[in-house]
């Protein structure tokens, strides 16, 4: 059963009424982030019920040593764990002698609002404690986009039926562990605890990786909105520090604690300066003040929404969902720090270690490319360029040579940090998406210079890998790629996964095409790269032989490419024939049964059809969609979006809409029964794609910006903006109309349903 | 480079001269065992050089929780670790003020002898200590076959150039860990340490599994072979206890400590009685006395050798090797305790957890069946019968139903205790060997009653499994078995492994054949089994459909069955073309590269050809051998023996002999560079097979005992005995002669090279 307790609203995520069953789900859904740090929506006050505590800092991880029953050569040394960071949000609240704990009192009027437009989290409720005391609580929390080392909390308690003492105990706790820890390990070592007047700091250090983090807090108080000074008592423990503040509060008076907190870390400062930097950042926040900082927050989000927003009329659920996706993507990554990337759970959970998957190249780059300045997308590409040497080392560990590069399946710093052989050794299609992203970027932005400056070296490394990884089958007189895992991870170690073979061939072809172009048009870059990579004509020729003679499994009868050799031997029962009780299969079936089944976790052949849509005619696309989608269980968050886009392409708008709801409300409605573990951040870019590329039909193959706008029955209209080659284009689509607005001072050429249209500068076109 | 420091000798394993490089290898090779317990040949005295300490107790293990990056449904809960048990052999030796440590003194005349004929280990050397003191040391150690809870050591020191004080500090140490521990865990908890006059006991308990073990020691002393009493000082620590005995010894006088020690454990006694039982066992040994106990040891081994021995004339290396294999097999398992089985490393190391693999059914049963009373082989079969319910539960965890049984890949108590999906879920061919062993047993012993009494229930469970595991490929209109790992573990998750499909079909056919027989000849058993298993005619029919329509991958051109679908797409370079520097590939190559390669770890198609040799004509056997053997790297210890047998079959005697040397001297010469980890016990049964079934050509298909004796060029003659249907038959083969001796009071019919011969009771035949 999916959940459906989130109240529909166009700009807010709302939970009404307290239900302990929903706490861990809401902790994920209401998460906050500012690109540099983030946290689950844990309560500030004590909560003794089921909760999953999590605060995370961008770039901070722990290398959990790989431990297997039987070590095999080439296994990655470690699994990079996203680390739960010291808790700075905690405020214990004691009413008289009784501690506030929603698990042990009568809660009414509970309401939680994630204000996506303005970027803050609000919570209010009334509670009757076991003592009979009734209070009202109002909390606002946000992580500042302006000072990304600071978060702020305003926590107000109002006694409703008594006069009495109220105690706030704000604290920092560095004695935290990971929920998803296989090994019961502690990751943090405490280096220093420093106390000051209404402020405290803990300097801690991650084991093994040696990151230093200063976690700070700074408090202020008000009574009925008038600032008051309070004396504190300090409790310093081995791994935590807490301050106790008491005040006698009269019935209906509002007692407020302002708590500023956050992190400074050693990726940004020498470790000796961390405590001081922490103190400075909090001081700055306190001087600006809670209200002004929140005002700045609203302005910062207004700027983000200006190009990122998608407006949907006539479908409140759809509207809420798309904004939720866009909001969370921006909370996770905003392109300001080129060392960071888009973790699949962002700052909302621990599952999946590492920060960077092929999701970035395959799904996220188009989103950031269209909604932000092109430098943001370029940063994401350069991130991989900077890891090229590591990718070459990674391939060498597996026995490849001469500069062949295999990008890691999961990474923090360029090293492979996932540790299952069937993924790290075999899910090599990821290497292709590195090149596809370059193609995509160059095509969309027109910034060809990226290839001679950076991209070509990556392309050569990857082409070398494909060349070495394929082998000639003398039986077929074709090159085959054996022993791979495709995007559909419900298959392992298959031969000739069509998608992998296709993108391998394409990578080589595209590399050679660009080598030729560089030779002619960028001679000095070409010479530099040749010297650096030691590339010879002979080598290129042997790549070409592999690309030209690549084998593709094909079924003549059905006229479809086969997902892999032998796919048709499976028990080919479509998903609709499976009893509901057996789904999701990844929770109900053994791995053995899943592997043998025909069920597809996420687009595999269809991923290729989507990437290379311009290589196939509509009939071919339709045949493949109609064959594979019925076997697809969409148990990867990355699945529905691609299917939504393709369904729109073949004019199955209702199917596309079904898939749109599934991708956009995946977490809000918890389709896969796992939202409590965190949100599916990278697939949220796919949701954006399913509107822009799906309904909007936007494509940018061959330097042409094309649209083919359609609209689901239910919607009255929708509109979105894209940044394109220095300008901004807005599309507004209704059932009977479609308007394009050019918000730039240059005309923009677009193709609508094949028809070329030039939209004049600051002008519009009605098509 | 293989090692070759073991001195050739027909009855002894001999090491001459001390080389620290060989210590860990020799610790494996010179291991002792008595079926109930065993230990590596660690020195009694302190040794500060590289050593791998190990004492093991049959049946005692630790369930190491499975920990993986990504848990998948159906994963086994734990990996059963063979546990290093408390050390009872230790004797610190102090000469004056200096402790004897071969790593820190000048060693001469070092000699170590494993006397296989009489079952004891002898070591002698001279040492010059840093103090200048010179001593001679002589040690004899054995684990009693008569009192299998007791081992005995006689340790004699003779001063060669001084008069002075010599201190013996015998101890028990329960503070031991495993070498091959992934998780740095302690497995043993100390419950009690008890001291007495010249004796001490430690009661300890394994964590999680809760086995209790009492480890004991009891000492006596002599000077020049005359018993002397000595005072002791006791050092009791948290996990160990040590007694210090000092004596002033004159030059050339011999000072001896007798140390008796060993284990009693909770599989045999209530835990409250363990300490007392331990004390009693040691008392009994002391009363018998070292020399008499050793005398009994010699007699016990004489009895074993009577039927087990194989005599080879003209090849000292081959003679030594075969006896070494037979000796170690008997040290590991003697059939006296039906709860035990034949661990792949026996009592010689920790690698491979668990005690029972398909090795038992596929390799070991024929050895024990022929060299011991048939009850021993039957015990091994009943062991699996007793685990049937667990096998049904194991299958149910993977989604199978209605009594389908999947025997575990590795087990201690019937539960699966290996934990890699590509093995536990997929290496399902093991299930077939359970039935093959029944077939083998019934055929050889003529004891058909095993099937109605026990075997049929196992056969039904296994046939149900195969029926459910296969699926109809509508494309092929054949049943296929997808996603398996064959005996060749250098492939994972392949489709239609020929061996698996073949044995699956055979299991069903054989089960149905026997159901028909039971229906006619064992009606009451049949009815009981039907009721118990709820077997219906309809079900049997649907099994039969699967067996009748089973798919077998076949290459028309080469006229060979393919190891699996797609085998011919590989880069088919034979092993002889691989540079030596790249072998063994499991040490030099990444797992990725191994999986994609055509290289075969151990017989796979050829395992099937071997098991079902009577289904194929000689030409077919030859074609398959000639195709697959050149791709075989023999990096499993189970590989050379099967190839040796088949090579003999197709008359390639020199190849058979090469493989014989490889299997028989695998550990003595360390072919796979891993003998330091322990011996390859189960494959030693394969060595025995390669003489008896290989050169001897013994077969027992269809209730006929056949021979086709051949002899390697190098050998002058060889002879072996087999127990067969209550009698004993001896075969003596020379280059020009072959004699059979019937040592029983019944005539025995045999077929020699197809010719039927009846050998009269107590008579012989020259063929």
């Amino acid at each position: 059963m999916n959940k459906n307790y989130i109240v529909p609203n166009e700009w807010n995520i709302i939970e009404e009424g307290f239900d302990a069953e929903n706490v861990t789900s809401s902790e994920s859904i209401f998460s906050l982030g500012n690109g540099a740090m983030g946290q689950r929506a844990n309560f500030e006050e004590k909560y003794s019920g089921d909760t999953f505590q999590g605060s995370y800092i961008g770039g901070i991880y722990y290398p959990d040593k790989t431990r297997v029953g039987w070590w095999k050569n080439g296994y990655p040394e470690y699994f990079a764990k996203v680390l739960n960071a010291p808790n700075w949000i905690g405020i214990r609240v004691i009413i008289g002698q009784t501690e506030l704990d929603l698990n042990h009192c009568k809660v009414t009027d509970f309401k939680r609002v994630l204000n996506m437009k303005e970027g803050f989290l609000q919570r209010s409720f009334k509670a009757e404690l076991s003592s009979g005391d009734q209070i009202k609580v109002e909390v606002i929390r946000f992580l500042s986009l302006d000072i990304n080392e600071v978060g702020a909390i305003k926590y107000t308690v109002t006694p409703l039926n008594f006069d009495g003492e109220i105690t706030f105990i704000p604290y920092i706790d560095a004695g935290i562990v990971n929920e998803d820890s296989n090994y019961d390990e502690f990751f943090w070592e405490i280096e220093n605890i420093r106390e000051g007047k209404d402020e405290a700091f803990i300097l801690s250090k991650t084991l093994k990786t040696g990151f230093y983090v200063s976690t700070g807090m700074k408090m202020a108080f008000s009574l009925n909105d008038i600032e008051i000074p309070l004396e504190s008592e300090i409790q310093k423990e081995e791994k935590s520090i807490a301050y106790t503040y008491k005040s006698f509060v009269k019935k209906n008076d509002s007692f407020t604690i302002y708590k500023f907190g956050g992190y400074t870390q050693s990726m940004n400062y020498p470790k000796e300066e961390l405590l001081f930097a922490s103190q400075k950042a909090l001081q700055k926040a306190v001087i600006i003040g809670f209200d002004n900082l929140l005002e700045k927050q609203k302005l910062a989000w207004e700027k983000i929404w200006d190009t990122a927003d998608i407006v949907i009329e006539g479908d409140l659920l759809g509207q809420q969902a798309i904004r939720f996706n866009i909001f969370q993507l921006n909370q996770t990554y905003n392109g300001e720090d080129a060392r960071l990337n888009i973790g699949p759970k962002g700052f909302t959970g621990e599952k999946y270690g590492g920060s960077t998957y092929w999701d970035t190249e395959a799904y996220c780059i188009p989103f950031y490319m269209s909604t932000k300045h092109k430098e943001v997308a370029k940063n994401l590409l350069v991130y991989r360029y900077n890891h090229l040497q590591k990718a070459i080392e990674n391939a060498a560990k597996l026995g490849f040579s001469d500069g062949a590069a295999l990008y890691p399946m999961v990474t923090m710093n360029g090293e492979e940090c996932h540790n299952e052989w069937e993924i790290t050794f075999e899910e090599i299609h990821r290497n292709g998406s590195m090149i596809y992203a370059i193609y995509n970027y160059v095509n969309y932005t027109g910034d060809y210079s990226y290839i001679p400056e950076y991209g070509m070296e990556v392309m050569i490394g990857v082409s070398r890998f494909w060349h070495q990884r394929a082998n000639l089958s003398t039986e077929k007189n074709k090159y085959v790629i054996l022993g791979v895992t495709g995007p559909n991870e419900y298959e392992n170690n298959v031969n000739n996964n069509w998608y992998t073979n296709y993108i391998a061939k394409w990578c080589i072809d595209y590399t050679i095409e660009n080598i030729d172009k560089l030779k002619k048009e960028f001679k000095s870059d070409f010479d530099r790269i040749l010297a650096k990579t030691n590339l010879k004509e002979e080598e290129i020729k042997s790549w070409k032989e592999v690309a030209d003679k690549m084998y593709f499994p094909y079924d003549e009868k059905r006229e479809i490419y086969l997902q892999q050799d032998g796919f048709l031997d499976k028990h080919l029962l479509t998903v609709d024939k499976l009893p509901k009780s057996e789904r999701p299969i990844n929770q109900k079936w053994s791995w053995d049964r899943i592997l043998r089944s025909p069920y597809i976790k996420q687009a595999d052949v269809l991923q290729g059809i989507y990437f290379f849509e311009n290589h196939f005619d509509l009939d071919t696309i339709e045949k493949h969609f109609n064959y594979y989608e019925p076997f697809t269980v969409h148990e990867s968050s990355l699945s529905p979006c691609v299917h939504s886009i393709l369904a729109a392409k073949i004019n199955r708008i209702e199917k596309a809409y079904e898939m749109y709801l599934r991708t956009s409300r995946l977490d809000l409605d918890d389709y896969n029964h796992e939202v409590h573990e965190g949100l599916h951040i990278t697939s949220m870019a796919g949701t954006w794609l399913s509107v822009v590329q799906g309904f909007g039909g936007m494509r940018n193959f061959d330097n042409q910006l094309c649209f083919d706008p359609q609209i689901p029955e239910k919607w009255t209209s929708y509109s979105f903006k894209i940044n394109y080659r220095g300008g901004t284009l807005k599309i507004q689509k209704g059932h009977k109309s479609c308007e394009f607005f050019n918000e730039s001072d240059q005309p923009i050429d677009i193709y609508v349903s094949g028809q070329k249209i030039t939209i004049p500068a600051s002008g519009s076109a009605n098509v």
Side-chain angles (χ1 to χ4, degrees), chain A:
Chain A
M1 272 298 294
N2 298 343
K3 295 204 166 182
N4 65 348
Y5 68 90
I6 299 297
V7 181
N9 181 288
E10 59 177 4
W11 272 113
N12 297 295
I13 304 299
I14 302 170
E15 178 184 9
E16 281 179 346
F18 179 72
D19 182 347
E21 288 295 308
N22 292 333
V23 166
T24 55
S25 300
S26 287
E27 285 174 341
S28 296
I29 291 172
F30 291 81
S31 289
L32 291 176
N34 66 2
M37 63 176 174
Q39 70 206 187
R40 293 171 56 79
N42 305 130
F43 297 155
E44 289 82 3
E45 74 277 4
K46 175 183 176 172
Y47 182 66
S48 63
D50 194 21
T51 168
F52 171 14
Q53 300 283 312
S55 286
Y56 311 101
I57 306 171
I60 305 279
Y61 69 99
Y62 179 81
D64 204 15
K65 196 174 167 312
T66 302
R67 308 175 209 222
V68 293
W70 205 266
W71 187 267
K72 284 159 188 148
N73 283 338
Y75 268 13
E77 294 291 325
Y78 66 91
F79 182 79
K81 203 166 278 214
V82 165
L83 271 196
N84 189 10
N87 172 356
W88 67 261
I89 65 160
I91 304 170
R92 294 177 56 198
V93 178
I94 294 156
I95 310 299
Q97 301 299 316
T98 312
E99 179 153 11
L100 174 63
D101 174 352
L102 294 203
N103 197 38
H104 287 302
C105 56
K106 210 173 122 194
V107 184
T108 56
D109 302 282
F110 181 91
K111 187 170 182 180
R112 173 139 61 168
V113 178
L114 183 62
N115 185 321
M116 300 187 287
K117 190 171 184 182
E118 302 180 331
F120 65 90
L121 173 64
Q122 202 164 11
R123 182 166 60 107
S124 58
F125 59 85
K126 289 179 184 159
E128 182 178 320
L129 283 78
S130 58
S131 58
D133 288 350
Q134 292 172 10
I135 54 168
K136 188 172 78 178
V137 173
E138 290 165 296
V139 195
I140 294 178
R141 185 160 102 208
F142 63 95
L143 300 184
S144 173
L145 288 175
D146 286 271
I147 315 173
N148 69 10
E149 290 159 343
V150 170
I153 299 167
K154 178 183 181 183
Y155 196 109
T156 303
V157 178
T158 309
L160 297 179
N161 66 344
F162 66 96
D163 301 343
E165 191 180 66
I166 294 178
T167 308
F168 286 132
I169 310 180
Y171 62 90
I172 314 176
D173 181 10
I176 39 80
V177 293
N178 265 36
E179 179 96 350
D180 182 35
S181 161
N182 273 327
Y183 310 113
D184 310 323
E185 280 177 294
F186 285 96
F187 309 112
W188 292 99
E189 219 168 62
I190 311 303
E191 293 268 311
N192 195 352
I193 302 185
R194 186 180 293 175
E195 58 197 74
K197 170 63 183 155
D198 294 334
E199 64 179 23
F201 306 90
I202 297 184
L203 184 67
S204 55
K205 178 188 161 191
T206 60
L207 292 175
K208 299 191 186 174
T209 32
F211 290 107
Y212 287 82
V213 167
S214 167
T215 308
M217 65 173 179
K218 193 168 176 66
M219 285 72 67
F221 301 88
S222 71
L223 195 67
N224 297 325
D225 285 330
I226 295 163
E227 206 172 321
I228 52 166
L230 285 178
E231 284 309 305
S232 64
E233 242 177 63
I234 302 177
Q235 294 88 40
K236 211 162 144 182
E237 315 253 324
E238 194 193 343
K239 296 180 171 186
S240 65
I241 183 162
Y243 286 30
T244 302
Y245 297 93
K246 291 173 196 277
S247 182
F248 188 86
V249 183
K250 285 199 178 142
K251 185 170 145 185
N252 294 327
D253 278 1
S254 298
F255 179 36
T256 299
I257 173 170
Y258 294 93
K259 183 178 185 189
F260 297 87
Y263 311 108
T264 53
Q265 56 130 317
S266 55
M267 284 166 75
N268 302 320
Y269 302 91
K271 68 175 199 234
E272 305 73 31
E273 293 175 19
L274 281 173
L275 283 168
F276 180 64
S278 205
Q279 193 177 27
K280 241 176 78 178
L282 293 182
Q283 218 153 35
K284 188 174 161 191
V286 168
I287 289 166
I288 295 173
F290 186 89
D291 293 341
N292 288 333
L293 206 59
L294 183 55
E295 234 11 80
K296 282 168 177 279
Q297 184 80 347
K298 292 172 184 177
L299 290 173
W301 274 102
E302 191 178 319
K303 212 169 139 195
I304 290 171
W305 286 114
D306 180 44
T307 44
D309 192 24
I310 293 181
V311 181
I312 294 172
E313 304 273 356
D315 179 7
L316 199 53
L317 288 173
Q319 172 68 79
Q320 182 182 43
I322 189 67
R323 284 194 173 127
F324 180 66
N325 284 257
I326 295 167
F327 179 72
Q328 291 293 357
L329 279 165
N330 275 284
Q331 289 207 114
T332 303
Y333 182 79
N334 52 30
E336 282 181 13
D337 187 337
R339 297 165 303 177
L340 303 182
N341 210 291
I342 309 138
K345 291 243 162 285
F347 300 114
T348 73
E350 301 165 357
K351 216 178 165 179
Y352 311 85
S355 75
T356 315
Y357 288 62
W358 70 293
D359 307 24
T360 295
E361 282 70 26
Y363 296 87
C364 300
I365 280 183
F367 168 77
Y368 288 104
M369 201 154 62
S370 294
T371 65
K372 296 193 187 294
H373 192 278
K374 77 168 200 270
E375 286 303 316
V376 172
K378 188 173 169 180
N379 268 349
L380 289 171
L381 294 186
V382 171
Y383 176 95
R384 296 290 193 176
Y385 174 79
N386 289 336
H387 290 171
L388 176 59
Q389 195 46 44
K390 287 266 168 67
I392 291 171
E393 286 163 21
N394 186 31
K397 278 181 195 160
L398 301 183
F400 298 89
S401 58
D402 303 314
L406 175 60
Y407 277 90
M409 190 65 202
V410 181
T411 195
M412 293 297 307
N413 62 1
E415 283 171 18
E416 179 61 81
C417 67
H418 186 69
N419 61 359
E420 294 174 305
W421 66 263
E422 61 272 27
I423 302 295
T424 53
F425 291 1
E426 297 209 331
E427 203 175 331
I428 53 176
H429 69 79
R430 63 185 185 256
N431 231 18
S433 60
M434 306 300 142
I435 312 306
Y436 190 80
I438 296 172
Y439 163 78
N440 212 348
Y441 172 80
V442 167
N443 230 325
Y444 187 84
T445 62
D447 173 19
Y448 188 80
S449 70
Y450 185 78
I451 290 183
E453 282 175 30
Y454 301 99
M456 179 49 73
E457 290 174 48
V458 173
M459 288 154 78
I460 290 170
V462 168
S463 291
R464 281 173 161 162
F465 174 81
W466 290 124
H467 168 248
Q468 292 176 32
R469 186 58 167 75
N471 73 276
L472 183 69
S473 161
T474 50
E475 197 67 9
K476 292 191 163 77
N477 194 28
K478 289 276 185 184
Y479 281 89
V480 293
I481 302 184
L482 305 179
V484 305
T485 296
N488 170 19
E489 291 172 335
Y490 287 177
E491 303 279 353
N492 286 157
N493 198 40
V494 301
N495 296 331
N496 294 310
N497 170 260
W498 177 80
Y499 172 76
T500 305
N501 288 21
Y502 200 87
I503 206 165
K505 172 189 164 53
W506 174 84
C507 283
I508 294 178
D509 287 340
Y510 184 65
T511 304
I512 294 176
E513 178 191 324
N514 281 285
I515 287 174
D516 290 344
K517 191 173 160 84
L518 261 54
K519 202 186 295 182
K520 288 182 210 134
E521 302 173 25
F522 298 83
K523 193 65 176 65
S524 79
D525 285 308
F526 179 74
D527 290 343
R528 174 181 52 78
I529 294 166
L530 228 60
K532 186 167 175 189
T533 60
N534 198 23
L535 184 68
K536 299 279 190 308
E537 276 302 327
E538 269 315 293
E539 190 183 347
I540 299 173
K541 244 186 233 164
S542 65
W543 296 356
K544 197 162 152 40
E545 156 146 350
V546 170
D548 289 348
K549 288 175 74 174
M550 185 63 78
Y551 169 73
F552 300 109
Y554 186 73
D555 179 52
E556 297 285 350
K557 199 168 79 193
R558 294 167 184 80
E559 296 184 311
I560 52 159
Y561 290 107
L562 294 176
Q563 186 178 283
Q564 73 241 14
D565 283 352
F567 185 80
L568 295 175
D569 279 341
K570 289 170 178 282
H571 180 44
L572 295 168
L573 198 74
T574 50
V575 175
D576 55 322
K577 305 286 192 313
L578 282 181
K580 277 229 167 79
S581 61
E582 302 199 359
R583 300 190 51 198
I585 60 172
N586 69 11
Q587 290 171 25
K588 303 297 173 70
W589 282 14
S590 71
W591 187 236
D592 168 53
R593 201 166 165 196
I594 290 173
L595 281 177
R596 289 184 280 129
S597 80
Y599 303 118
I600 300 171
K601 185 181 174 194
Q602 72 182 88
D604 191 300
V605 172
L606 294 180
Q607 183 76 35
I609 300 277
Y610 161 65
F611 271 179
F612 303 106
E613 193 193 288
N614 55 333
H615 300 187
F616 306 100
D617 60 30
L618 202 61
D619 180 55
T620 304
I621 297 172
E622 206 161 351
K623 275 207 178 92
H624 283 84
F625 187 89
N626 291 341
Y627 187 75
Y628 285 109
E629 200 282 331
F631 292 117
T632 306
V633 289
H634 301 297
E635 289 175 12
S636 160
S637 64
L638 296 171
S639 189
C641 55
V642 173
H643 290 87
S644 180
I645 297 167
L646 287 176
K649 174 74 188 175
I650 59 172
N651 220 3
R652 289 179 58 186
I653 299 301
E654 286 320 297
K655 182 77 188 175
Y657 179 67
E658 175 202 327
M659 289 287 120
Y660 166 73
L661 274 192
R662 188 159 173 159
T663 179
S664 65
R665 298 195 63 89
L666 177 75
D667 289 324
L668 290 177
D669 296 345
D670 199 10
Y671 274 80
N672 291 348
H673 307 179
E674 55 185 21
V675 72
H676 55 280
E677 295 172 347
L679 304 176
H680 297 86
I681 298 298
T682 46
S683 75
M684 291 179 169
T687 303
W688 181 89
L689 288 170
S690 67
V691 175
V692 174
Q693 298 191 344
F695 301 123
M698 183 180 97
R699 297 290 187 280
N700 62 308
F701 298 118
D702 307 320
N703 275 299
Q704 294 185 350
L705 186 63
C706 306
F707 294 90
D708 189 7
Q710 305 189 73
I711 184 166
E713 194 56 42
K714 186 169 185 177
W715 294 2
T716 320
S717 73
Y718 66 93
S719 71
F720 60 84
K721 281 187 193 174
I722 55 166
N723 288 329
Y724 181 71
R725 302 200 174 185
T728 303
L729 187 68
K730 182 179 172 187
I731 297 92
Q732 169 89 35
K733 167 73 180 162
H735 279 281
K736 297 198 173 147
S737 66
C738 181
E739 275 188 291
F740 288 86
F741 302 89
N742 181 352
E743 297 186 0
S744 58
D745 52 7
Q746 297 275 335
I748 300 181
D749 285 341
I750 60 171
Y751 295 76
V752 180
S753 311
Q755 205 85 43
K756 181 173 175 179
I757 294 169
T758 302
I759 311 174
S762 310
S764 71
N766 210 320
V767 297

